[in-house]
Amino acid sequence: MTSYALTVDAGVRDLRAADHLVHTLAAELALAEGAFGCTHLVRGDRPRVALSFTFPSEPLLRTARERLAAGEYDVSPGAPDAVGRAVIYPGVSSLTGTLTIADLLTMSAIDRVTVLGVPGQPAPDTRMVTWNHVRPQWQQGELVLTAMPAVGGTLVPFEVPAPTPCCADH
């Protein structure tokens, strides 16, 4: 399936704000099923978080580009890179509570799950506590969720919903 992407640069500097903007713009654009909204870290002389949206058809892409360009956003064709962090993707709204790895893979666009420090993939019946915050990343054309071991033999997504800022204790 061919997909159509565009980048939105709103000068956002942190992931939380970028996540919020992805959701806001997705609601404004009424994203169709099959669309993706991702964040991308942009390095260089002006570090920031760019957004990308991928659409299942060219007419949807054109409509979104026109609507976004009419706002205060810098919009350009394509995605900024191939390793975006998916915020909106097919099935994301069903990834709540505790699910098995098999259910997570069946219910969403996520292609596979990896566990930090563990070779291979987790067993399909392994339970994943989602925290209602599942942010997989694109890796070599696959949407991959990185997880880490947790209490009781469960897994949790590596990215936590409310991270403690670095150096918060001093």
Side-chain angles (χ1 to χ4, degrees):
M1 174 176 112
T2 302
S3 63
Y4 304 90
L6 58 83
T7 294
V8 176
D9 190 344
V12 177
R13 297 190 53 102
D14 67 81
L15 284 176
R16 266 192 173 178
D19 280 9
H20 180 73
L21 185 56
V22 166
H23 284 287
T24 299
L25 293 177
E28 289 175 11
L29 295 171
L31 286 185
E33 182 65 31
F36 288 80
C38 298
T39 60
H40 303 261
L41 299 178
V42 178
R43 293 171 175 79
D45 56 336
R46 195 172 62 95
R48 62 202 180 282
V49 183
L51 315 178
S52 71
F53 292 94
T54 305
F55 305 89
S57 72
E58 188 172 7
L60 293 172
L61 169 77
R62 262 185 305 200
T63 300
R65 183 176 46 231
E66 290 168 6
R67 290 178 69 190
L68 290 167
E72 70 266 15
Y73 306 110
D74 181 15
V75 180
S76 57
D81 57 44
V83 294
R85 171 183 161 274
V87 176
I88 293 176
Y89 50 94
V92 66
S93 61
S94 63
L95 302 181
T96 61
T98 301
L99 306 167
T100 65
I101 296 299
D103 287 341
L104 183 137
L105 295 173
T106 300
M107 297 165 59
S108 74
I110 297 172
D111 294 304
R112 65 186 169 92
V113 176
T114 61
V115 181
L116 289 175
V118 177
Q121 295 184 20
D125 63 344
T126 303
R127 294 177 306 130
M128 168 79 71
V129 179
T130 69
W131 293 329
N132 302 338
H133 186 84
V134 181
R135 301 290 190 263
Q137 286 193 303
W138 289 104
Q139 295 177 10
Q140 300 176 342
E142 288 186 308
L143 198 54
V144 179
L145 177 64
T146 301
M148 56 188 176
V151 176
T154 63
L155 297 174
V156 293
F158 177 71
E159 183 179 330
V160 298
T164 302
C166 177
C167 306
D169 61 340
H170 48 119

